[in-house]
Amino acid sequence: MGWSGDPCGRPLDSPAVLVADTESITKEWHTFVFLLFQLPALAKTLLISLIALSTLVGIMVRPFKLDEARIAMAGAALLLLLGLISPLDALTVLLNDWNIFFFFLGMMSLSALAEAAGLFDWLAARAAALAGRSSRRLFLNTFLLGSLISMILSNDATALILTPIVYTLVTRLRLPVLPYLFACTFIADTASFLLPVSNPINIIVLSTFRLDLWTFLRLLFIPSLVVIGINMGVFFLLYRRQLRGSFDPKRLLSAATSIRHQGYFRYTSIVLMMVALAYIVAAATQFPLSIVAIAGALLLLLGALRWKQATIRDIGNHISWSIFGFIAGMFIVVRAVEETNLTTQLGQLLLHLSGGSSIGAVMVGTAGAAIGTNLINNVPMAVVLTSALHGVQYTTASTRLGFIAATIFGCDLGPNLTTVGSLATVLWLLILRRRNLEVSGLDYFKIGIMVTPLMLVAGALTIWLLLPR
């Protein structure tokens, strides 16, 4: 008979032994954490770097089909658990970035409430009617409508709302769907730096680098028009055969049928126009854009409840809550990396590669941001680059502005190269799959490689020409 007790003769599964084991494990864990705090700076830097790198790789690979939010939060939780960043420091980081979180909430709520009013269906019907019978003109109107939605409600709204509407429209008109659907996803990112509110990435960068509205528009508005023009021109060339011919306008539903309630539709249109104007005023005065977005969403929600067009639960179901966990996790991970001085060294490396010149800053910044977004997604790349450039001592003001503009430009436009670069593209793919349309990463890359590098080079050169000398 084998021995089945501890040295004192107690059974292994007795409460006393279990308590003793638990206390032993807890004591060993506390000892480990204590020793971790005594680690040399190099060892601590290596451990933080390993966790940060594993988090970024996890976001890119998504093992076990985990979503990006869980991976980012797991990385942040591990850093907190190991004492590599203090809870107070992590909380301070999140509280300091309240503007970004509330902007996401306000933007997604505005989009959901405008959709409930039938506004986007009405706009699509009007775009089709204005196209006459021409499929080419309808293609142009898709680009223009996508640009308008991205400019006012962000690129994610364009992908999330315009894509299913355009799909329904072109299938009803019996037109080839892929050219129009590719137009939806590409213009979402291509037009996402017309205004500061056109992409949450802009808010992330501008929360650190306080650019006034005039400086933002002076450096990025014309480059945005340039790349929009290139995007449309290349797409018309690529899809010239599919866009031949015309469609039967009798298959169209009238714009009036899109309006579910006249009163709420008018109210929504007025509120959104007020929000658009308030965005401009807020950006010009550097007033938090999130407050404008939240206020506009509350006004639309009151109208929706008044006319019984939506409920709080309906709107809540349209909001991607996981994005908040994703951003929070990435902010904490990057904050821990900041304490190792690695992000500062990255900024110094970029400055060195640029040669300290304004054209070098724009080209290096654009290339680095574009490559990074297609490796780890544009949200974490924007956070990393913003942190890296924040503590750099620039040779000239022009070089500093060049890096800031290039970070926004590269992180906004760069994701058009692959399917993993931005949330807007991920949302677009999910919408297509629900309609039994499969676009592989290779299929997307074949289109992206034909247009994105050209847009990046042309836009970067335009930014450089607009920098102050």
Side-chain angles (χ1 to χ4, degrees), residues 175-194:
L175 295 171
V177 295
L178 281 181
Y180 295 90
L181 295 180
F182 269 112
C184 289
T185 184
F186 270 78
I187 197 59
D189 287 333
T190 302
S192 67
F193 46 99
L194 282 165

mmCIF file of all heavy atoms in Angstrom, residues 175-194:
data_model
loop_
_atom_site.group_PDB
_atom_site.id
_atom_site.type_symbol
_atom_site.label_atom_id
_atom_site.label_comp_id
_atom_site.label_asym_id
_atom_site.label_seq_id
_atom_site.Cartn_x
_atom_site.Cartn_y
_atom_site.Cartn_z
ATOM 1 N N LEU A 175 -26.263 45.120 -61.065
ATOM 2 C CA LEU A 175 -24.931 45.573 -61.455
ATOM 3 C C LEU A 175 -23.883 44.715 -60.749
ATOM 4 O O LEU A 175 -24.170 44.121 -59.711
ATOM 5 C CB LEU A 175 -24.743 47.047 -61.063
ATOM 6 C CG LEU A 175 -25.637 48.070 -61.773
ATOM 7 C CD1 LEU A 175 -25.486 49.432 -61.119
ATOM 8 C CD2 LEU A 175 -25.294 48.145 -63.251
ATOM 9 N N PRO A 176 -22.664 44.635 -61.285
ATOM 10 C CA PRO A 176 -21.602 43.884 -60.589
ATOM 11 C C PRO A 176 -21.309 44.535 -59.237
ATOM 12 O O PRO A 176 -21.056 45.744 -59.167
ATOM 13 C CB PRO A 176 -20.412 43.983 -61.544
ATOM 14 C CG PRO A 176 -20.698 45.151 -62.421
ATOM 15 C CD PRO A 176 -22.182 45.218 -62.552
ATOM 16 N N VAL A 177 -21.332 43.741 -58.173
ATOM 17 C CA VAL A 177 -21.289 44.327 -56.839
ATOM 18 C C VAL A 177 -19.876 44.699 -56.373
ATOM 19 O O VAL A 177 -19.708 45.696 -55.668
ATOM 20 C CB VAL A 177 -21.932 43.379 -55.792
ATOM 21 C CG1 VAL A 177 -23.407 43.199 -56.077
ATOM 22 C CG2 VAL A 177 -21.222 42.033 -55.761
ATOM 23 N N LEU A 178 -18.873 43.899 -56.739
ATOM 24 C CA LEU A 178 -17.545 44.105 -56.159
ATOM 25 C C LEU A 178 -16.935 45.483 -56.433
ATOM 26 O O LEU A 178 -16.336 46.079 -55.532
ATOM 27 C CB LEU A 178 -16.588 43.001 -56.606
ATOM 28 C CG LEU A 178 -16.748 41.671 -55.851
ATOM 29 C CD1 LEU A 178 -15.742 40.648 -56.349
ATOM 30 C CD2 LEU A 178 -16.595 41.868 -54.346
ATOM 31 N N PRO A 179 -17.035 46.038 -57.654
ATOM 32 C CA PRO A 179 -16.468 47.380 -57.847
ATOM 33 C C PRO A 179 -17.040 48.409 -56.877
ATOM 34 O O PRO A 179 -16.302 49.225 -56.311
ATOM 35 C CB PRO A 179 -16.836 47.710 -59.296
ATOM 36 C CG PRO A 179 -16.967 46.395 -59.964
ATOM 37 C CD PRO A 179 -17.545 45.483 -58.928
ATOM 38 N N TYR A 180 -18.353 48.365 -56.661
ATOM 39 C CA TYR A 180 -19.000 49.333 -55.778
ATOM 40 C C TYR A 180 -18.649 49.081 -54.307
ATOM 41 O O TYR A 180 -18.473 50.027 -53.529
ATOM 42 C CB TYR A 180 -20.519 49.282 -55.973
ATOM 43 C CG TYR A 180 -20.947 49.725 -57.355
ATOM 44 C CD1 TYR A 180 -21.064 48.798 -58.387
ATOM 45 C CD2 TYR A 180 -21.208 51.059 -57.636
ATOM 46 C CE1 TYR A 180 -21.442 49.195 -59.669
ATOM 47 C CE2 TYR A 180 -21.589 51.467 -58.905
ATOM 48 C CZ TYR A 180 -21.691 50.528 -59.922
ATOM 49 O OH TYR A 180 -22.060 50.930 -61.192
ATOM 50 N N LEU A 181 -18.537 47.809 -53.944
ATOM 51 C CA LEU A 181 -18.188 47.488 -52.562
ATOM 52 C C LEU A 181 -16.739 47.835 -52.255
ATOM 53 O O LEU A 181 -16.422 48.310 -51.155
ATOM 54 C CB LEU A 181 -18.459 46.006 -52.280
ATOM 55 C CG LEU A 181 -19.930 45.582 -52.345
ATOM 56 C CD1 LEU A 181 -20.085 44.101 -52.040
ATOM 57 C CD2 LEU A 181 -20.786 46.409 -51.382
ATOM 58 N N PHE A 182 -15.840 47.626 -53.210
ATOM 59 C CA PHE A 182 -14.453 48.057 -53.020
ATOM 60 C C PHE A 182 -14.372 49.576 -52.913
ATOM 61 O O PHE A 182 -13.552 50.110 -52.161
ATOM 62 C CB PHE A 182 -13.569 47.554 -54.162
ATOM 63 C CG PHE A 182 -12.937 46.215 -53.895
ATOM 64 C CD1 PHE A 182 -13.304 45.094 -54.624
ATOM 65 C CD2 PHE A 182 -11.983 46.076 -52.909
ATOM 66 C CE1 PHE A 182 -12.732 43.856 -54.368
ATOM 67 C CE2 PHE A 182 -11.391 44.841 -52.645
ATOM 68 C CZ PHE A 182 -11.773 43.722 -53.383
ATOM 69 N N ALA A 183 -15.219 50.261 -53.665
ATOM 70 C CA ALA A 183 -15.253 51.726 -53.564
ATOM 71 C C ALA A 183 -15.639 52.145 -52.149
ATOM 72 O O ALA A 183 -15.078 53.100 -51.594
ATOM 73 C CB ALA A 183 -16.244 52.301 -54.575
ATOM 74 N N CYS A 184 -16.581 51.418 -51.515
ATOM 75 C CA CYS A 184 -17.018 51.759 -50.154
ATOM 76 C C CYS A 184 -15.881 51.653 -49.153
ATOM 77 O O CYS A 184 -15.666 52.555 -48.332
ATOM 78 C CB CYS A 184 -18.157 50.829 -49.719
ATOM 79 S SG CYS A 184 -19.733 51.103 -50.564
ATOM 80 N N THR A 185 -15.139 50.545 -49.195
ATOM 81 C CA THR A 185 -14.097 50.347 -48.188
ATOM 82 C C THR A 185 -12.875 51.223 -48.431
ATOM 83 O O THR A 185 -12.271 51.728 -47.494
ATOM 84 C CB THR A 185 -13.680 48.856 -48.102
ATOM 85 O OG1 THR A 185 -12.738 48.705 -47.053
ATOM 86 C CG2 THR A 185 -13.066 48.363 -49.389
ATOM 87 N N PHE A 186 -12.512 51.435 -49.698
ATOM 88 C CA PHE A 186 -11.326 52.249 -49.956
ATOM 89 C C PHE A 186 -11.582 53.717 -49.651
ATOM 90 O O PHE A 186 -10.734 54.389 -49.057
ATOM 91 C CB PHE A 186 -10.856 52.066 -51.405
ATOM 92 C CG PHE A 186 -9.878 50.947 -51.567
ATOM 93 C CD1 PHE A 186 -10.309 49.632 -51.582
ATOM 94 C CD2 PHE A 186 -8.513 51.186 -51.669
ATOM 95 C CE1 PHE A 186 -9.413 48.578 -51.713
ATOM 96 C CE2 PHE A 186 -7.603 50.156 -51.793
ATOM 97 C CZ PHE A 186 -8.051 48.841 -51.816
ATOM 98 N N ILE A 187 -12.736 54.234 -50.040
ATOM 99 C CA ILE A 187 -12.984 55.651 -49.802
ATOM 100 C C ILE A 187 -13.157 55.928 -48.310
ATOM 101 O O ILE A 187 -12.897 57.051 -47.847
ATOM 102 C CB ILE A 187 -14.233 56.142 -50.579
ATOM 103 C CG1 ILE A 187 -14.229 57.672 -50.665
ATOM 104 C CG2 ILE A 187 -15.521 55.640 -49.960
ATOM 105 C CD1 ILE A 187 -13.025 58.272 -51.335
ATOM 106 N N ALA A 188 -13.552 54.917 -47.533
ATOM 107 C CA ALA A 188 -13.679 55.101 -46.086
ATOM 108 C C ALA A 188 -12.359 55.575 -45.484
ATOM 109 O O ALA A 188 -12.330 56.503 -44.667
ATOM 110 C CB ALA A 188 -14.116 53.788 -45.427
ATOM 111 N N ASP A 189 -11.244 54.955 -45.891
ATOM 112 C CA ASP A 189 -9.939 55.355 -45.366
ATOM 113 C C ASP A 189 -9.326 56.500 -46.159
ATOM 114 O O ASP A 189 -8.647 57.365 -45.597
ATOM 115 C CB ASP A 189 -8.976 54.160 -45.365
ATOM 116 C CG ASP A 189 -9.312 53.149 -44.280
ATOM 117 O OD1 ASP A 189 -9.892 53.554 -43.255
ATOM 118 O OD2 ASP A 189 -9.014 51.955 -44.464
ATOM 119 N N THR A 190 -9.555 56.513 -47.472
ATOM 120 C CA THR A 190 -8.959 57.557 -48.311
ATOM 121 C C THR A 190 -9.464 58.944 -47.925
ATOM 122 O O THR A 190 -8.707 59.926 -47.970
ATOM 123 C CB THR A 190 -9.258 57.288 -49.798
ATOM 124 O OG1 THR A 190 -8.747 55.997 -50.147
ATOM 125 C CG2 THR A 190 -8.611 58.328 -50.691
ATOM 126 N N ALA A 191 -10.726 59.043 -47.531
ATOM 127 C CA ALA A 191 -11.319 60.346 -47.185
ATOM 128 C C ALA A 191 -11.305 60.612 -45.687
ATOM 129 O O ALA A 191 -11.981 61.527 -45.215
ATOM 130 C CB ALA A 191 -12.754 60.407 -47.702
ATOM 131 N N SER A 192 -10.515 59.824 -44.934
ATOM 132 C CA SER A 192 -10.616 59.896 -43.476
ATOM 133 C C SER A 192 -9.716 60.934 -42.830
ATOM 134 O O SER A 192 -9.541 60.924 -41.611
ATOM 135 C CB SER A 192 -10.322 58.514 -42.867
ATOM 136 O OG SER A 192 -8.980 58.141 -43.076
ATOM 137 N N PHE A 193 -9.126 61.816 -43.622
ATOM 138 C CA PHE A 193 -8.391 62.927 -43.007
ATOM 139 C C PHE A 193 -8.785 64.251 -43.650
ATOM 140 O O PHE A 193 -8.015 65.199 -43.687
ATOM 141 C CB PHE A 193 -6.866 62.706 -43.068
ATOM 142 C CG PHE A 193 -6.343 62.248 -44.405
ATOM 143 C CD1 PHE A 193 -5.770 63.138 -45.283
ATOM 144 C CD2 PHE A 193 -6.407 60.917 -44.763
ATOM 145 C CE1 PHE A 193 -5.284 62.725 -46.509
ATOM 146 C CE2 PHE A 193 -5.913 60.483 -45.987
ATOM 147 C CZ PHE A 193 -5.357 61.387 -46.859
ATOM 148 N N LEU A 194 -10.043 64.314 -44.124
ATOM 149 C CA LEU A 194 -10.584 65.587 -44.600
ATOM 150 C C LEU A 194 -10.768 66.558 -43.432
ATOM 151 O O LEU A 194 -10.524 67.753 -43.552
ATOM 152 C CB LEU A 194 -11.915 65.355 -45.308
ATOM 153 C CG LEU A 194 -11.836 64.818 -46.747
ATOM 154 C CD1 LEU A 194 -13.199 64.291 -47.185
ATOM 155 C CD2 LEU A 194 -11.339 65.887 -47.714
#
